[in-house]
Amino acid sequence: MVKKGRQIKSNAMDRINELSDDLLVKILSFVPTKVSVSTSILSKRWEFLWMWVPKLEYIDFEYNRSKSSLLRYRDFINKNLPLHKAPIIESLRLRFLSALFRHADLNLWVEIAVSRCVRELELCIDHDSVLPNSLYTCKSLVTLKLEGNKVRVNVHGTRLVLFIHSVCSSGGCVIDTPSLKYCEVEDHRDSFSYSINHMPKLEEADVTVGKGLQEFLGSITSVKRLTLTCPASFKNVEEFMYPAGIVFDQLENLKLITYKNGWLKLLFRLLNDSPKLRVLRLPVFGYVVDQEQISCSIEQSWIPECLLKSLETFEFEGCDKGKLEEREFLSFLFKHARCLKPPSFLS
């Protein structure tokens, strides 16, 4: 029986060896990197195949691993990752809980990924980390996923897309990006804080945050296109209101997305603070009618400058023209928007 079993394994291996190198490399991309590296002992042909795998993952979430075992795993990565030969790394996942994985190690691994034209990089590090500057000039990078107690991101060029899940830490977030042109931030945490320096070159922003909105809007006043979303977790738009004194003197295109009551008050604040606004898109869904906020928003003595001088395009999505607050708003808009073209109503 033993001899028969060995023969079956031998026949299976012979059939696998009949496959092309490209197909074998593709197969190896579906197993953990540590497993694909171990195949190098099978034969001379397999010795270098793992080096061409375009998807790499080094993951260690074992809380009870001994210090010596962790150090061996760290040395394993330091030994094998530099040997990688694929011209493009489609994805690299590095996820560790131990502080034994040093800042210098992380920098080396990211530098190697950048040199191999990495497209997707996922990092989960459970200690203070600063990513190398080369990462932010990497032209091949499409997706960067970060998770950790304290990961510092120093963006020196192109776009910043930041998504923070509701289960993430409520710690602060520091953003210092004076050359940034596009910023997309979606933060679903209930408690958080931001420290954001002014972004004088920012042209477009897509912001979904709650209590950190004041810091965001104060830093992006140079923006030309702004999408502002009021999180569904907030009771009403009053919690989303920003203080007076913030002026968007370059803003031309505004999209305000809200599911909550009080949207008129927030909208009129934005209209008043955007004197050059040309395009207004207003999706509103599922909010509760509040007659008091209608009168305090519509019955006002002043008219936003953009309505008198610049607003040309208006799109209203999800509207119910039978609701009083919408009828009064539309009546006010059409009465005072002197440059307005025929509006679009999307149900």
Side-chain angles (χ1 to χ4, degrees), residues 85-195:
K85 296 181 180 295
I88 295 176
I89 294 180
E90 294 180 7
S91 66
L92 172 61
R93 301 176 66 206
L94 298 165
R95 302 178 67 86
F96 307 107
L97 293 178
S98 173
L100 290 176
F101 293 93
R102 305 163 299 189
H103 170 66
D105 297 316
L106 179 63
N107 265 15
L108 173 62
W109 302 337
V110 172
E111 292 279 6
I112 293 172
V114 170
S115 70
R116 304 296 197 278
C117 301
V118 64
R119 291 179 176 170
E120 179 175 334
L121 180 62
E122 179 179 341
L123 301 175
C124 177
I125 309 295
D126 195 35
H127 60 279
D128 189 1
S129 303
V130 181
L131 303 181
N133 291 335
S134 61
L135 182 63
Y136 312 113
T137 58
C138 180
K139 296 182 179 180
S140 63
L141 188 65
V142 176
T143 302
L144 175 61
K145 299 179 182 179
L146 300 177
E147 182 180 343
N149 290 333
K150 191 174 182 181
V151 181
R152 284 176 277 175
V153 180
N154 299 318
V155 179
H156 294 283
T158 59
R159 298 161 57 94
L160 173 62
V161 178
L162 180 61
F163 176 86
I164 304 178
H165 196 276
S166 58
V167 299
C168 291
S169 166
S170 60
C173 182
V174 178
I175 301 179
D176 184 7
T177 54
S179 299
L180 201 65
K181 293 186 178 181
Y182 175 86
C183 179
E184 181 179 343
V185 177
E186 186 173 347
D187 192 337
H188 293 275
R189 297 174 296 173
D190 293 329
S191 176
F192 45 81
S193 63
Y194 284 94
S195 175

Side-chain angles (χ1 to χ4, degrees), residues 262-310:
W263 61 272
L264 276 178
K265 187 173 182 179
L266 176 59
L267 174 61
F268 272 90
R269 171 69 65 81
L270 288 165
L271 292 177
N272 188 52
D273 294 335
S274 309
K276 297 181 180 179
L277 190 68
R278 295 191 303 107
V279 179
L280 174 62
R281 294 181 171 87
L282 187 61
V284 288
F285 306 103
Y287 60 90
V288 178
V289 177
D290 183 346
Q291 299 298 333
E292 292 183 4
Q293 70 97 15
I294 297 172
S295 59
C296 72
S297 296
I298 296 295
E299 295 178 6
Q300 51 185 321
S301 58
W302 51 265
I303 301 170
E305 182 180 351
C306 66
L307 296 187
L308 298 174
K309 297 182 178 181
S310 60

